[in-house]
Amino acid sequence: MILQIPLNPLQEKYLRKSGLLFPDEQILEYSKAGEGNMNVVVRLKTETRSLILKQSRPFVVKYPTIPAPLGRIFIEDDYYRIINSHEFLSGFSPKIILRDSKNHLVAMDDLGIGADFMGIYSKKINLSEDEIATLPEYLLSLHKLEIRNFSDNMDMKKLNHEHIFFYPFMEFNGFDLDSIQPGLQAMSMKFKTDLKLKNAVKTLGKRYLEKGKHLLHGDFYPGSWIRVDSGLKVIDPEFAFMGDAEFDLGVLIAHLKMAKANPETIQNIVSHYTSKSLIDEKLLHQYTGTEILRRLIGLAQLPLALTLEEKSALADEAATLILKP
Ligand SMILES: Nc1ncnc2c1ncn2[C@@H]1O[C@H](COP(=O)(O)OP(=O)(O)OP(=O)(O)O)[C@@H](O)[C@H]1O
Ligand SMILES: [Mg+2]
């Protein structure tokens, strides 16, 4: 069964057969759940309930020529099932309704209609104080879970590894950064030709590929948070793995820096986290710096509102975080 919009008779038959729809239940809405690139995500509404259906394909749905690990949907399911049984964390994520291994599809609760936080870079959206306080609390609880058997998620990690630790630092990667912002290509060369920096990032990348002690969300950035009526929610854990707590925290801080958050706010987040759980600050700095650099000069660009000069200064800061953590 191929999940797609609009609904066709084959899909409807599947929904009834799988029990996702009761025999006489009428479909009122069948629409795109929200913005996303990787998977097919559909909102299914009936008179009494609303579900989200998410299906992975062996490629990136928005860019079908780019292959992507088909099993990523099961990582998401595994992660949500762990979260669902935790008192505090369960409030942030949808409950799982069905896992269909054959069709690489998962059905989950609809958390409600809401936008993600990608607008924070341009200040179209601002994180409230409560929301800011929530982010490290979520990570603290998540990283404290004692998990033994979680998938190594190696296929997704390799994909991420390429785009975080390797491709952005390739001298000739074929991606013309001037198409993003004139002058960015020249700005990036300083980092792509810095052997010490590249080596430090390479070492960090190897560490990223190893198994760590904590369950991580793995993609803890504004595109994975949504604001709905009942508050901030955390979704899209397809990059989850057992790794360094500093990775999730570093990604969070990197994005707050790119969104020009108040330095005091950022310091408060780190202090809050470290007051409750020990971290390796050097490692935190290195993951933070690498995430900033890969977003500034790599392929996974963000809707940033930074001048070239601001990007250059931030990239210098990031390199220092990596080299002199
Ligand atoms: N359980 C849910 N409840 C409400 N809305 C949801 C839910 N899951 C997903 N959405 C909406 O659908 C959008 C896309 O979902 P998601 O980010 O999981 O897809 P994706 O294809 O993995 O995206 P990406 O390409 O960013 O990885 C979200 O931004 C959100 O607006
Ligand atoms: Mg995703």
Side-chain angles (χ1 to χ4, degrees):
M1 197 282 298
I2 293 187
L3 187 68
Q4 59 191 10
I5 296 167
L7 180 72
N8 58 35
L10 263 181
Q11 290 184 79
E12 186 163 351
K13 193 173 159 204
Y14 165 82
L15 292 170
R16 297 207 189 272
K17 218 176 143 195
S18 63
L20 281 168
L21 271 179
F22 305 129
D24 52 358
E25 204 175 8
Q26 293 303 313
I27 300 168
L28 298 184
E29 186 186 320
Y30 199 75
S31 58
K32 186 175 166 176
E35 285 316 308
N37 298 329
M38 289 275 281
N39 306 285
V40 185
V41 193
V42 167
R43 169 171 282 113
L44 164 68
K45 270 192 179 170
T46 71
E47 240 162 59
T48 52
R49 57 211 178 107
S50 187
L51 314 177
I52 299 291
L53 309 172
K54 186 165 178 177
Q55 186 179 48
S56 56
R57 302 266 164 84
F59 48 81
V60 177
V61 168
K62 197 168 171 189
Y63 309 103
T65 55
I66 305 177
L70 193 53
R72 61 192 184 275
I73 193 68
F74 304 133
I75 300 294
E76 197 155 332
D77 180 52
D78 291 345
Y79 179 95
Y80 280 142
R81 282 174 200 266
I82 291 170
I83 297 298
N84 286 174
S85 63
H86 185 274
E87 199 186 337
F88 174 72
L89 292 170
S90 63
F92 292 94
S93 292
K95 305 276 172 297
I96 290 291
I97 297 164
L98 175 99
R99 168 181 179 138
D100 178 345
S101 305
K102 186 171 157 255
N103 289 300
H104 301 95
L105 180 143
V106 162
M108 61 188 109
D109 275 351
D110 184 358
L111 295 167
I113 295 189
D116 65 26
F117 283 82
M118 293 299 277
I120 67 167
Y121 310 106
S122 59
K123 310 251 183 235
K124 281 187 195 124
I125 294 178
N126 288 304
L127 281 158
S128 71
E129 266 179 44
D130 270 3
E131 286 164 341
I132 287 173
T134 292
L135 297 169
E137 274 302 325
Y138 179 91
L139 289 184
L140 274 164
S141 293
L142 174 67
H143 298 160
K144 266 199 203 125
L145 296 176
E146 286 184 21
I147 308 294
R148 274 185 193 87
N149 299 314
F150 196 82
S151 161
D152 64 15
N153 202 4
M154 197 43 87
D155 292 340
M156 287 294 270
K157 265 170 91 176
K158 281 187 181 155
L159 186 73
N160 234 4
H161 176 271
E162 170 84 13
H163 285 286
I164 300 175
F165 302 94
F166 184 67
Y167 181 95
F169 301 92
M170 260 175 96
E171 240 180 290
F172 306 103
N173 59 20
F175 178 38
D176 179 13
L177 286 162
D178 287 344
S179 67
I180 303 295
Q181 194 167 15
L184 195 57
Q185 182 66 26
M187 189 280 263
S188 75
M189 290 318 284
K190 181 167 137 195
F191 306 98
K192 291 172 178 163
T193 54
D194 183 337
L195 289 183
K196 272 196 184 146
L197 179 71
K198 282 158 72 121
N199 262 327
V201 171
K202 193 173 170 190
T203 306
L204 193 65
K206 276 192 190 143
R207 184 173 175 124
Y208 168 84
L209 287 175
E210 282 165 16
K211 184 180 177 193
K213 293 199 179 98
H214 309 276
L215 177 62
L216 308 188
H217 177 279
D219 199 17
F220 201 68
Y221 86 116
S224 297
W225 317 326
I226 53 172
R227 183 190 275 156
V228 297
D229 286 348
S230 52
L232 181 147
K233 306 289 165 184
V234 179
I235 59 167
D236 204 11
E238 59 192 345
F239 284 101
F241 67 102
M242 299 298 294
D244 294 320
E246 291 83 355
F247 180 79
D248 271 350
L249 193 57
V251 168
L252 165 60
I253 289 163
H255 286 266
L256 294 177
K257 280 180 182 277
M258 288 183 278
K260 294 204 260 188
N262 188 335
E264 207 180 310
T265 304
I266 296 177
Q267 192 46 51
N268 286 343
I269 289 181
V270 178
S271 308
H272 182 76
Y273 190 101
T274 53
S275 71
K276 295 193 180 175
S277 182
L278 281 179
I279 56 158
D280 178 338
E281 288 218 22
K282 286 188 176 178
L283 197 55
L284 175 66
H285 290 160
Q286 291 196 312
Y287 280 130
T288 304
T290 306
E291 176 66 10
I292 291 174
L293 275 176
R294 77 103 165 193
R295 292 295 190 168
L296 293 179
I297 66 172
L299 198 58
Q301 291 283 320
L302 300 165
L304 299 179
L306 299 173
T307 63
L308 188 64
E309 289 67 34
E310 285 172 322
K311 284 187 182 174
S312 178
L314 190 56
D316 284 340
E317 186 189 332
T320 306
L321 283 172
I322 297 166
L323 289 170
K324 299 191 183 102

